[in-house]
Amino acid sequence: MHVNETSHPTLVLGFADYREPARRLAAAAGMGYAEVEVHRFPDGESRVRLPAGLGERVILCRSLDHPNDKLVELALTASAARELGVRHLTLVAPYLCYMRQDKAFNPGEAISQPIIGGLLAQWVDALVTVDPHLHRVATLAEAIPVRQAECLTAAPLMADFLARELEAPVIIGPDEEARQWVAAIAGHAGLEYRVGNKQRFGDREVQVAFPDPPPPGRHLVLVDDIASTGRTLESAVALLAGTRPASLSVLVTHALFLEGTLERLRQAGVTHVWSTDSIPHPSNRLELAPLLASALV
Ligand code: R5P
């Protein structure tokens, strides 16, 4: 994706809540960094203020976890940037929100994925993200109809990381939706993998099963794209702990990790919890900046 076709240096424009990863992206891409100032009024409205000297092309960098306020601030920022003369806006959102509601699961439900995708496409010209939750749609461009949609995967990064950390681990996906990532990681590093199946009964009620459980005595790594409430991981961990593994670890791309999940995973026997820095979290071990930067040059 070519984003710097003018002589004016391209800036990465970040936000305080994603400052360090955005700075790392700027450094990896050889670009400058500047920040949008966000003020939250007492009633919950936001005011954004952009720095001077933006040039014609800008990279907005912010992950869209806890997205509702961030989406409004993104709309305000994109609009202000256009007013200030920016002609090409790329959004780097390593975590992309509202990707899971890709159909009406019950009558009358809004199908959030294309609705939010349509809004993003009105605001920016290009989008870069990592391992978005694409399940019933095949490509990112179908979900987010921007002119350039770049869908990166952290799978090779994860495979190399695991090869350094563990001896011949078995990669485990909790459900069929995780198969794409589990298979990619295992394929990259020549590892075994297993995929379970999952039934979801509510936001916090899930049941995972492993018809083909891993053999005992192995290093097991449970891999998923998103850990949200962590109930999927917890259900899987409860079963995998029973296979008497040498160790049991968790590796996710997007570490939302709400509601005390980390503590419960540790109590259930999980040795390591690792994640990428798509969402700032104490489990972050894999930096995405070089991968993201590779999509910008
Ligand atoms: C959905 O299928 C995703 O891949 C994750 O498995 C899911 O979002 C995890 O959610 P939770 O942590 O709330 O169980």
Side-chain angles (χ1 to χ4, degrees):
M1 183 179 295
H2 299 282
V3 294
N4 194 5
E5 288 157 3
T6 67
S7 56
H8 200 291
T10 302
L11 270 185
V12 173
L13 195 51
F15 294 77
D17 54 47
Y18 202 59
R19 178 177 295 140
E20 294 314 318
R23 277 188 189 278
R24 286 196 285 273
L25 170 62
M31 296 174 182
Y33 176 80
E35 207 160 278
V36 177
E37 187 187 302
V38 178
H39 175 73
R40 291 261 167 83
F41 290 106
D43 63 359
E45 291 184 1
S46 298
R47 179 188 67 205
V48 305
R49 185 170 178 217
L50 278 60
L54 290 179
E56 290 191 351
R57 289 178 174 263
V58 163
I59 313 295
L60 289 172
C61 181
R62 193 182 204 185
S63 242
L64 294 175
D65 54 299
H66 302 87
N68 294 355
D69 288 337
K70 291 181 183 177
L71 286 170
V72 171
E73 289 158 10
L74 187 58
L76 299 174
T77 300
S79 177
R82 305 284 185 197
E83 287 289 318
L84 292 169
V86 174
R87 288 173 43 198
H88 191 280
L89 268 176
T90 297
L91 171 63
V92 176
Y95 175 70
L96 203 49
C97 58
Y98 284 108
M99 287 293 103
R100 285 169 288 179
Q101 185 87 18
D102 60 0
K103 72 169 195 174
F105 294 91
N106 296 290
E109 281 178 358
I111 307 176
S112 314
Q113 187 193 74
I115 296 170
I116 299 297
L119 289 172
L120 291 174
Q122 285 175 38
W123 302 336
V124 300
D125 305 288
L127 174 76
V128 179
T129 192
V130 180
D131 292 334
H133 191 90
L134 299 177
H135 182 44
R136 273 160 284 257
V137 298
T139 65
L140 181 62
E142 281 175 64
I144 320 280
V146 282
R147 276 191 272 151
Q148 295 166 279
E150 191 82 35
C151 180
L152 304 172
T153 179
L157 197 64
M158 289 176 153
D160 293 343
F161 173 78
L162 291 177
R164 289 194 300 273
E165 294 289 327
L166 295 169
E167 180 73 29
V170 183
I171 313 300
I172 314 275
D175 56 25
E176 277 302 321
E177 294 178 34
R179 181 182 289 276
Q180 55 180 305
W181 296 291
V182 168
I185 293 168
H188 186 83
L191 300 171
E192 279 178 61
Y193 73 93
R194 300 281 194 287
V195 175
N197 53 54
K198 176 168 85 175
Q199 278 183 287
R200 182 175 283 285
F201 305 102
D203 287 345
R204 292 171 183 76
E205 287 87 39
V206 295
Q207 201 171 344
V208 174
F210 290 105
D212 179 21
R218 299 290 299 273
H219 294 291
L220 305 183
V221 183
L222 191 52
V223 169
D224 209 354
D225 59 335
I226 304 168
S228 181
T229 66
R231 301 297 179 182
T232 300
L233 295 174
E234 284 177 53
S235 176
V237 161
L239 294 173
L240 295 172
T243 67
R244 291 177 286 119
S247 70
L248 182 48
S249 304
V250 164
L251 174 59
V252 296
T253 310
H254 307 298
L256 286 166
F257 280 124
L258 315 171
E259 305 165 355
T261 314
L262 272 191
E263 195 42 46
R264 288 197 302 275
L265 288 173
R266 294 213 167 100
Q267 281 170 6
V270 171
T271 330
H272 302 286
V273 179
W274 297 305
S275 62
T276 79
D277 61 357
S278 75
I279 298 170
H281 186 267
S283 62
N284 289 173
R285 285 286 300 278
L286 291 81
E287 293 183 355
L288 293 171
L291 176 69
L292 296 168
S294 71
L296 299 179
V297 293

